[in-house]
Amino acid sequence: TQLRQLLEQRLRERLKRLAAGSGTIIVSLVLNSNGQLIGRPQVTSPQGKLFTELAQSALETMTFPPFPEGTRATDIQFKFVVDYKQQ
């Protein structure tokens, strides 16, 4: 979806600013219709704790857009994988 693509793009941008190394992150998070995080995102990475903590921190400080008008759901869970390469 368009919102999922936006989440992935923003997370990649944050990781780049934090000078994270290359790796993969698996993310599960819930947003309400106003674009607010519900609970703490679940983040795992084969690259270990440091990479996971960087991604977790980035997600918790990001702002998300509200759901598009006409969306019936009040909360949506997103699960996605982000492959990141430091350039």
Side-chain angles (χ1 to χ4, degrees), residues 20 49 63 72 84:
K49 187 176 179 179
T63 57
R72 293 183 183 188
Y84 175 76

Side-chain angles (χ1 to χ4, degrees), residues 6-24:
L6 179 64
L7 290 172
E8 291 176 12
Q9 177 187 352
R10 286 187 178 177
L11 185 54
R12 280 190 191 101
E13 290 169 0
R14 280 291 168 100
L15 291 170
K16 184 176 182 177
R17 278 185 287 222
L18 293 170
S22 298
T24 300

Side-chain angles (χ1 to χ4, degrees), residues 2-78:
Q2 190 174 11
L3 184 55
R4 181 179 164 181
Q5 291 171 344
L6 179 64
L7 290 172
E8 291 176 12
Q9 177 187 352
R10 286 187 178 177
L11 185 54
R12 280 190 191 101
E13 290 169 0
R14 280 291 168 100
L15 291 170
K16 184 176 182 177
R17 278 185 287 222
L18 293 170
S22 298
T24 300
I25 328 167
I26 301 138
V27 178
S28 176
L29 59 85
V30 179
L31 296 178
N32 69 17
S33 61
N34 294 323
Q36 297 171 317
L37 276 171
I38 303 296
R40 187 174 177 163
Q42 300 299 309
V43 180
T44 58
S45 173
Q47 281 65 48
K49 187 176 179 179
L50 179 61
F51 202 76
T52 300
E53 288 175 355
L54 285 172
Q56 184 86 37
S57 174
L59 284 165
E60 290 176 353
T61 60
M62 287 171 60
T63 57
F64 304 98
F67 295 171
E69 216 174 291
T71 304
R72 293 183 183 188
T74 56
D75 298 340
I76 297 178
Q77 182 175 15
F78 294 89

